[in-house]
Amino acid sequence: MENKKILITGGAGFIGSHAVKLFLEQGYQVTVFDNFFRGFHQVLETLKPLGDLQVVEGDLRNFDQIDQALCGQNFAGVLHFAALCLVNESMEQPELYFRNNVGGTLNLLEAMYKNGVKKLIFSSTCAVYGDSQYLPMDEKHPTNPLNPYGESKLIAEKMIKWYGELHGLRHAVMRYFNVCGAASDGLIGDSKKPSQLLMQNAVRGAMKIAPFSYTCPQVDTPDGTPIRDYIDVEDLVAAHLAAYERLDDDQVSGQVFNLSNGKGFSVKEIVSQVEKAFQVEIEKVPSEPRKGEYAEVFAIPAKAREKLSWQARKSLADSIESMRKWYTAHPQGWEN
């Protein structure tokens, strides 16, 4: 009988909680390991009626805590979302990112090895690429991070690769582009305060929940704002499910996958799309530009289509509508 017992680190966060939701809906037994530094207890309470969900409060920076969570539990695999992910913060406090994202991942890998857990899906980022040398980016694009966040994720990727080669860890690395949207049924969504995600902030601005400001620097693009590739969170976690269920395939294990729509939109274009959906003009307030940003990046997701039989299906309008549902029901997100 197939072992459908998995551990999800960072499952109380935005993307991790959507993975918890999907895996529960697919009949998996899910244990979430989270320190709740930036995650929310309420989202997991909301998801518990969907299936067999256990919660362990712990910190990956403490080896004994993740070792104890894995010990004797017979997990088939791990989805690793737990990380700090704010580019600007990483430029100001790089030590946080290396302790948490690198040190935490090393503790997880060693605890998995010690406890015989042989499958891992890793949440990485397009920030490992840095400035684009060619567009669209594929997985062979050179990696040259421009901020400690991207560097911390790249180091984690390399550690995972070595654990695969030396200890037989079956793994896949998922490099995200800009994540947007919420659960299409409005059940869960992004609660970061403030969010670093453009479309979420634009929707909140359109709904007059919070002031909206451009935090991007002036860059060399047609309208002077950064161009990014946007992917809906439900499409994103569907790729994780597809990869996890194919990890026994040598065409998937050990591979890196870009998860994207394959098209770039500027910051101003995204704001315009939100204004069109809400039929309002968003008031923009001045703000300091973020550090460590790059001008233009969008990807080709052909490898994920070929190896995972996956593709992004949701449009920008779909993502905006899901966030309208989420913020209508939870204008300030989760409370804790």
Side-chain angles (χ1 to χ4, degrees):
M1 185 175 177
E2 181 188 1
N3 180 358
K4 300 195 79 170
K5 190 172 183 181
I6 61 169
L7 182 83
I8 298 183
T9 72
F14 169 46
I15 299 171
S17 62
H18 284 79
V20 171
K21 181 176 186 287
L22 177 61
F23 276 76
L24 288 174
E25 290 169 343
Q26 295 299 314
Y28 283 82
Q29 298 168 264
V30 177
T31 297
V32 168
F33 184 90
D34 202 298
N35 64 6
F36 294 96
F37 175 52
R38 287 185 175 151
F40 297 88
H41 292 275
Q42 284 173 284
V43 68
L44 299 179
E45 291 301 317
T46 300
L47 294 174
K48 279 185 175 179
L50 299 182
D52 186 346
L53 174 59
Q54 307 297 319
V55 179
V56 176
E57 187 161 353
D59 196 314
L60 286 177
R61 292 171 296 183
N62 185 316
F63 175 79
D64 290 340
Q65 290 180 5
I66 184 59
D67 181 42
Q68 186 175 5
L70 292 174
C71 183
Q73 295 300 309
N74 191 35
F75 288 111
V78 174
L79 284 88
H80 179 26
F81 295 94
L84 298 177
C85 60
L86 307 181
V87 168
N88 205 51
E89 182 182 64
S90 82
M91 297 290 282
E92 295 167 352
Q93 301 180 76
E95 72 284 357
L96 289 180
Y97 281 71
F98 293 114
R99 285 196 196 107
N100 194 84
N101 297 359
V102 177
T105 299
L106 179 58
N107 283 341
L108 173 64
L109 289 169
E110 192 57 21
M112 290 176 66
Y113 176 58
K114 179 181 174 184
N115 290 284
V117 184
K118 291 286 193 178
K119 293 183 177 181
L120 175 68
I121 303 293
F122 179 56
S123 162
S124 191
T125 170
C126 64
V128 302
Y129 293 124
D131 270 328
S132 57
Q133 296 187 18
Y134 57 84
L135 291 169
M137 289 177 166
D138 58 18
E139 291 82 357
K140 295 178 182 178
H141 188 283
T143 51
N144 184 31
L146 298 183
N147 50 67
Y149 165 58
E151 190 71 47
S152 71
K153 286 290 196 173
L154 184 59
I155 294 169
E157 285 189 15
K158 291 178 177 179
M159 293 192 302
I160 291 166
K161 174 179 176 287
W162 282 111
Y163 270 74
E165 291 188 12
L166 301 177
H167 296 318
L169 177 68
R170 302 195 73 83
H171 66 277
V173 169
M174 320 301 270
R175 289 178 180 163
Y176 308 168
F177 286 72
N178 280 39
V179 186
C180 58
S184 53
D185 58 8
L187 186 66
I188 61 175
D190 186 22
S191 288
K192 293 186 188 73
K193 303 181 188 75
S195 177
Q196 297 293 306
L197 300 175
L198 169 66
M199 198 182 293
Q200 277 82 329
N201 286 336
V203 169
R204 284 160 58 85
M207 296 175 72
K208 299 189 182 303
I209 293 169
F212 175 80
S213 60
Y214 285 119
T215 59
C216 56
Q218 183 82 12
V219 294
D220 185 17
T221 58
D223 67 13
T225 63
I227 291 172
R228 297 289 184 269
D229 195 330
Y230 291 82
I231 179 170
D232 187 272
V233 66
E234 289 194 326
D235 282 335
L236 187 77
V237 297
H240 290 67
L241 177 66
Y244 182 79
E245 293 187 337
R246 289 168 171 80
L247 275 182
D248 289 328
D249 183 349
D250 289 337
Q251 295 290 306
V252 173
S253 182
Q255 297 298 310
V256 172
F257 296 98
N258 285 338
L259 300 182
S260 68
N261 261 307
K263 182 179 180 182
F265 295 90
S266 76
V267 169
K268 286 185 176 178
E269 286 174 327
I270 292 295
V271 171
S272 176
Q273 289 277 338
V274 172
E275 289 178 328
K276 180 180 176 183
F278 282 88
Q279 296 186 317
V280 299
E281 182 175 347
I282 300 170
E283 183 180 354
K284 291 91 173 174
V285 300
S287 177
E288 286 293 313
R290 295 203 303 231
K291 302 173 185 175
E293 295 284 357
Y294 34 89
E296 182 174 10
V297 58
F298 59 95
I300 182 167
K303 186 175 178 181
R305 282 199 299 266
E306 178 189 350
K307 306 290 187 186
L308 304 179
S309 300
W310 169 90
Q311 63 181 6
R313 301 184 181 279
K314 294 183 181 292
S315 66
L316 293 179
D318 293 332
S319 298
I320 293 167
E321 180 56 29
S322 67
M323 287 187 287
R324 185 204 299 263
K325 289 181 185 177
W326 163 244
Y327 288 124
T328 296
H330 299 85
Q332 300 304 324
W334 306 115
E335 294 304 317
N336 65 318

